[in-house]
Amino acid sequence: MMVSIPRACFVALFGMHTLALLPLASAFVIRSAPPLLKPLTSPSTRQQQVPFHGHSPTALSTAVASTTTAPPLDDKLPPSVLPITLTVFAQMIGEGIALTSLPLHMSRLGASTVSTGLAVSAFSAASVVFTPIVVKISGKAGRQKTLRACLLGCVFAQLLIARSPTPGGVVLARAIAGIFAASVPVAQAAVTDLVPSHQSALALSRVSAVSQLAVVVGPAAGAFGISLLTGLG
């Protein structure tokens, strides 16, 4: 039972990332410019529609511009932001659990300390190289499709880690996971496409907060899961 505990964690990650695809398969559609977020009329058109009634045209233009361009004080984000944040949470909590389980899994495979370090670093190295490429592709292929591809890539990587009989296979799988670890920057680009400009900072902070929460919860959840499985075994 002890031999299969770390492997069981990666199998659990495989299932979790698969379930995380469900929110992205919902009715929420990520668009680069939602029609509902576009102003019905431009400020210049609104200025032309306001009668002067004896007032100075310059004063009226200034007053209308100040009232029409002021953003509404609304902190409620669109519902379509939720599946994006869930995607980020699923992928980042998976990485936290993987970091907790990976050293034990590698030791069960007879890996050296260097191989274990390479398995950890392969994820970050691949992420550094491929994240800008994935984000650029998301601008052409669409944010939603790219987020789905990132989760599918993570599903494949976790399954490969769980099934790999050698340390080298785990290192390769970790590199594959790093290639598809661009969900956070893609999600940040997606939420800025979804919300009006005055809510961009709020939407970006929401994605960042969810990502950090997953990083905090992930290792603790992984350690708790390993401890629970050890006790049951």
Side-chain angles (χ1 to χ4, degrees):
M1 180 66 182
M2 288 292 294
V3 177
S4 62
I5 288 175
R7 181 168 296 175
C9 291
F10 288 103
V11 173
L13 289 179
F14 166 77
M16 182 184 67
H17 286 149
T18 303
L19 290 176
L21 286 168
L22 295 178
L24 286 180
S26 63
F28 299 123
V29 178
I30 300 174
R31 300 183 177 91
S32 58
L36 293 178
L37 300 182
K38 294 181 179 180
L40 297 178
T41 55
S42 62
S44 60
T45 305
R46 293 175 181 176
Q47 293 175 16
Q48 295 174 1
Q49 295 174 349
V50 178
F52 294 121
H53 297 298
H55 296 283
S56 170
T58 304
L60 281 174
S61 299
T62 304
V64 172
S66 62
T67 56
T68 56
T69 58
L73 298 177
D74 185 13
D75 291 338
K76 187 177 181 180
L77 294 174
S80 50
V81 174
L82 179 60
I84 301 176
T85 55
L86 290 178
T87 301
V88 172
F89 184 80
Q91 187 161 15
M92 295 308 296
I93 196 175
E95 178 57 22
I97 295 175
L99 288 177
T100 307
S101 309
L102 188 62
L104 292 176
H105 185 49
M106 293 291 285
S107 66
R108 299 298 189 273
L109 296 176
S112 63
T113 305
V114 175
S115 297
T116 303
L118 287 176
V120 175
S121 299
F123 178 90
S124 299
S127 180
V128 168
V129 174
F130 286 94
T131 292
I133 299 175
V134 174
V135 173
K136 185 176 181 180
I137 292 174
S138 72
K140 299 178 180 179
R143 313 295 188 194
Q144 187 183 40
K145 293 180 180 179
T146 306
L147 286 173
R148 286 177 177 174
C150 288
L151 278 179
L152 285 174
C154 287
V155 168
F156 174 74
Q158 302 303 341
L159 184 61
L160 187 60
I161 291 174
R163 299 291 297 174
S164 177
T166 62
V170 175
V171 174
L172 176 62
R174 288 285 296 168
I176 295 175
I179 293 174
F180 293 98
S183 63
V184 175
V186 173
Q188 290 175 334
V191 295
T192 55
D193 291 341
L194 281 170
V195 302
S197 58
H198 70 275
Q199 286 188 322
S200 295
L202 177 62
L204 290 173
S205 65
R206 186 70 56 83
V207 174
S208 178
V210 169
S211 173
Q212 294 303 315
L213 177 63
V215 170
V216 172
V217 174
F224 177 78
I226 293 174
S227 176
L228 180 62
L229 291 175
T230 304
L232 293 176

